[in-house]
Amino acid sequence: MVRRTGLGVNLWPHTLRARLFVILLAGLTIAHAMSFAVLFSERYIAARSVMFNTLETDIATSIAILDRLPAAERASWLDRLARGSYRFVLGPGIPGDPVLTRADAEVADKVRAAIGAQYPIEVESVPGGIRRLQAHLRLSDGEPLTIDVTPRGVMPVADWLPFVLVAQLSLLVLCSWLAVRQATRPLADLARAADTLDPNSKTPRLSETGPREVAYAATAFNAMRDRIAQYLEERVQILAAISHDLQTPITRMKLRAEMADDSIERDKLIRDLEEVERLVKEGVAYARSVHGKDEKASRIDLASFVQSLAYDYQDTGKAVTVGELGDGTIVTRPHALRRILTNLVDNALKFGGSAEIELQRRADGTVLIKVSDRGPGIPEAQLDAVLQPFFRLEQSRNRDTGGTGLGLAIAQQLAIVIGASLTLRNRDGGGLAAELAIGAA
């Protein structure tokens, strides 16, 4: 990944895994390259030492042999006396440059030291694409002899060595990747667990095994999750207790208000008490929705279930219709599902005046229950916010349209409990569609 900054392009990776991989691979590669450099340096020194030793021990002996042989037999001995770094040529050789480099002068000194003062020589550098020296001298009978020297810097590399190098580099890449993956996987698991943290869901706990630091972090995360679940449980219990305790005094106040003389103020007071009572009941319902998982799951026929719900509304004169109905059964918590659909239908009736229920089964076995209306819809930026408790689009808190802000929150909470997902989207042409997706059992 490339990051552009004000000063140019930053090629440093963004992820911890990539950074560790680059650092580890670069370090191992540099160490490997240094090892090869030391190896080749040692080979160069060894080759140089072998060449000088050969020059010092073999050249003098070879020249003595050629000097004692009859002139007619010398040519047949040239190949026998040749070595990897030099050979003998009968004749004056190739004219060269007497000015030598420092390295060539060192070779020339070794040749002079090997031959000694008996045979005066001249050493020249021969032009060409390779490093080459020629030492010119004359044998005792006056025949010219040339020593053609081709110094070798490094001993030849074996043909299989490049394949070994590639195999070693591949092993370095694999080991680096495995080490980085092993080191960063717990961090990825921790990040994924934090991103999907829901104390009320049945997501598995982080594994508390592995290295000491990883196990400690997983234990701390699981403990934090338990504390959050405990705090949420206490909050719900407080809400349920307050809502329950308020019902008794509200009932007494309603009785006293109904026993009072008829007046406009009496009617207003009764309506206010009814609104407070409705809010208290919704609070109790929300508190109970958190514990919806206590209900046992059972197999139900979805088409019959949806039709029964629609008939109940139609019997009271509500405009609730049934559209497409897929067939099949599903294992779920029926009371929780009925409360979800009831809240969605009530919301559609409140803001759209009518509701339509559709049932579809996808190819993967997921069941989609859709409750649609033709009301004003919801601004796109607030589609997720309306699923939160006590959030209302109608900020005026009007009794007829404002509601308590708990209907959709209860549906959302119960959807999580039964393992479903609730999504709101605006319909083409106006209106809202609430989609409840229930996974296959």
Side-chain angles (χ1 to χ4, degrees):
M1 185 178 293
V2 178
R3 175 183 294 174
R4 296 186 178 274
T5 62
L7 299 178
V9 178
N10 182 11
L11 298 179
W12 187 242
H14 293 180
T15 62
L16 178 62
R17 174 178 296 184
R19 292 184 179 184
L20 289 177
F21 179 76
V22 169
I23 293 173
L24 185 58
L25 181 60
L28 292 176
T29 303
I30 291 174
H32 200 61
M34 291 177 63
S35 298
F36 268 89
V38 171
L39 175 63
F40 274 86
S41 176
E42 190 276 335
R43 289 172 64 91
Y44 172 78
I45 295 173
R48 184 167 171 269
S49 176
V50 169
M51 182 185 67
F52 286 160
N53 291 336
T54 302
L55 288 174
E56 292 179 358
T57 58
D58 291 353
I59 286 182
T61 303
S62 299
I63 292 176
I65 292 174
L66 290 173
D67 197 18
R68 287 172 174 77
L69 286 172
E73 297 181 11
R74 290 172 181 167
S76 62
W77 280 78
L78 294 181
D79 292 337
R80 301 178 189 179
L81 300 176
R83 298 291 184 268
S85 58
Y86 67 88
R87 64 188 181 92
F88 295 96
V89 180
L90 293 175
I94 303 174
D97 187 359
V99 179
L100 305 178
T101 63
R102 182 176 179 180
D104 291 345
E106 185 178 8
V107 176
D109 291 340
K110 292 293 183 179
V111 174
R112 290 191 183 98
I115 295 176
Q118 182 180 357
Y119 304 96
I121 65 172
E122 294 180 0
V123 181
E124 297 176 341
S125 174
V126 179
I130 61 174
R131 183 184 175 194
R132 186 179 177 188
L133 301 175
Q134 284 193 349
H136 308 286
L137 55 92
R138 287 185 178 276
L139 299 175
S140 299
D141 58 1
E143 184 178 7
L145 179 66
T146 299
I147 308 173
D148 195 344
V149 183
T150 53
R152 293 187 178 181
V154 181
M155 297 174 66
V157 177
D159 295 337
W160 48 264
L161 189 59
F163 298 100
V164 173
L165 177 60
V166 172
Q168 289 178 330
L169 290 177
S170 301
L171 184 61
L172 285 179
V173 172
L174 178 61
C175 292
S176 300
W177 181 79
L178 289 176
V180 171
R181 183 172 178 269
Q182 187 71 18
T184 58
R185 180 165 35 174
L187 292 178
D189 294 340
L190 181 61
R192 186 162 46 252
D195 188 51
T196 59
L197 176 62
D198 185 1
N200 293 322
S201 66
K202 295 183 178 180
T203 54
R205 298 167 65 87
L206 276 180
S207 174
E208 299 180 4
T209 60
R212 181 180 302 174
E213 296 82 1
V214 174
Y216 178 74
T219 302
F221 181 86
N222 289 333
M224 179 191 69
R225 172 179 170 173
D226 294 339
R227 288 195 298 271
I228 293 176
Q230 182 180 357
Y231 295 153
L232 293 177
E233 181 73 17
E234 292 176 354
R235 185 194 69 174
V236 170
Q237 290 178 355
I238 292 173
L239 175 61
I242 294 175
S243 300
H244 182 271
D245 292 343
L246 284 175
Q247 288 182 345
T248 300
I250 290 173
T251 302
R252 291 199 301 264
M253 293 173 66
K254 284 183 64 178
L255 290 174
R256 292 171 182 172
E258 290 173 353
M259 294 175 62
D261 297 335
D262 292 340
S263 65
I264 297 177
E265 296 301 326
R266 170 184 173 276
D267 295 337
K268 290 181 179 180
L269 178 60
I270 292 176
R271 286 198 298 270
D272 288 338
L273 290 174
E274 289 176 349
E275 177 67 19
V276 173
E277 186 178 26
R278 185 161 65 93
L279 179 60
V280 169
K281 289 181 179 180
E282 290 292 335
V284 173
Y286 179 74
R288 289 175 178 173
S289 68
V290 179
H291 303 284
K293 56 187 176 183
D294 295 335
E295 179 189 357
K296 292 184 178 180
S298 60
R299 185 174 296 275
I300 62 173
D301 181 85
L302 285 173
S304 300
F305 186 85
V306 171
Q307 287 177 336
S308 174
L309 178 67
Y311 291 156
D312 290 342
Y313 277 99
Q314 292 170 1
D315 289 343
T316 60
K318 302 293 179 63
V320 177
T321 59
V322 177
E324 177 186 355
L325 284 181
D327 55 357
T329 60
I330 192 172
V331 176
T332 187
R333 297 178 173 89
H335 292 296
L337 178 59
R338 188 177 188 86
R339 182 56 190 267
I340 295 172
L341 296 180
T342 299
N343 285 15
L344 297 180
V345 172
D346 289 344
N347 189 75
L349 292 174
K350 180 186 299 183
F351 295 101
S354 63
E356 181 183 8
I357 308 176
E358 296 180 74
L359 175 62
Q360 301 173 358
R361 183 179 290 273
R362 296 173 177 169
D364 59 357
T366 302
V367 174
L368 184 66
I369 304 176
K370 185 187 302 183
V371 179
S372 307
D373 64 64
R374 285 298 180 184
I378 297 175
E380 293 291 336
Q382 297 180 321
L383 285 174
D384 292 332
V386 295
L387 297 177
Q388 303 301 317
F390 302 107
F391 181 89
R392 296 186 296 179
L393 292 174
E394 177 61 48
Q395 299 300 328
S396 64
R397 296 181 181 271
N398 183 278
R399 290 187 181 93
D400 297 328
T401 60
T404 62
L406 287 174
L408 291 177
I410 294 173
Q412 167 74 353
Q413 184 64 49
L414 288 175
I416 295 175
V417 169
I418 67 174
S421 62
L422 178 61
T423 305
L424 304 180
R425 63 175 182 84
N426 290 307
R427 303 176 65 188
D428 295 335
L432 185 71
E435 299 178 348
L436 182 69
I438 307 174

